[in-house]
Amino acid sequence: MPDARLDLSAKRVNCHGFYTGFGTKPFSKEGCLITQKEVNAVFDGQVALCREILQKKTKEYTGGDTDRLGAFKAAAALQHTTPERALAGMLAKHIVSLYDMCFADGMSFDAGTWDEKITDSLNYLFLLKAIVKEGQTNQQN
């Protein structure tokens, strides 16, 4: 049986530019309209949550080390790879979890669970950006 996450045969309902789910009947305008102002508020709230979690977890993952990316460098050394690849492996767990949630037929998840999974994924991407930037800076020196 093929993996449901890869099944693209079902038709998605497009509601004002947002894919709202699977089905054959479109949602009413009142039931699905999201304004740009609301999207901006979601973005701002998410970035604030990402910042808060990154700050909280800094001490947990670095101890007293001043190198914020040290855990990824240590993981890279253990795996004989690059920090980028070590981080990508860690990120993959979060992405698979999000896919599982998105494609869990008949299941719903509370906002806190979505927030945790989305925030963790975004934070790994922010940390990847920092690793890439550090690598580029070191190449220039």
Side-chain angles (χ1 to χ4, degrees), residues 5-121:
R5 292 177 291 188
L6 302 177
D7 181 7
L8 302 177
S9 62
K11 293 186 180 189
R12 303 233 22 193
V13 177
N14 184 334
C15 185
H16 306 288
F18 289 91
Y19 286 101
T20 56
F22 293 97
T24 56
K25 295 181 181 178
F27 289 71
S28 69
K29 282 189 174 193
E30 298 79 27
C32 66
L33 181 64
I34 186 165
T35 65
Q36 186 60 48
K37 183 178 179 180
E38 290 167 321
V39 171
N40 291 347
V42 168
F43 175 82
D44 292 342
Q46 184 61 61
V47 170
L49 183 57
C50 285
R51 180 181 294 112
E52 177 185 331
I53 297 299
L54 275 173
Q55 289 172 347
K56 281 183 184 177
K57 292 202 174 188
T58 295
K59 182 76 171 167
E60 178 181 342
Y61 287 106
T62 63
D65 191 352
T66 57
D67 184 358
R68 178 59 176 91
L69 304 172
F72 301 107
K73 294 170 187 172
L78 286 171
Q79 298 172 47
H80 305 288
T81 192
T82 65
E84 293 89 345
R85 289 179 180 174
L87 184 147
M90 296 173 197
L91 172 61
K93 177 185 86 97
H94 296 286
I95 299 300
V96 168
S97 181
L98 277 170
Y99 264 77
D100 288 344
M101 289 172 64
C102 289
F103 291 93
D105 289 331
M107 292 182 66
S108 62
F109 302 92
D110 62 49
T113 302
W114 284 108
D115 281 348
E116 177 186 352
K117 302 298 180 181
I118 291 168
T119 301
D120 286 347
S121 297

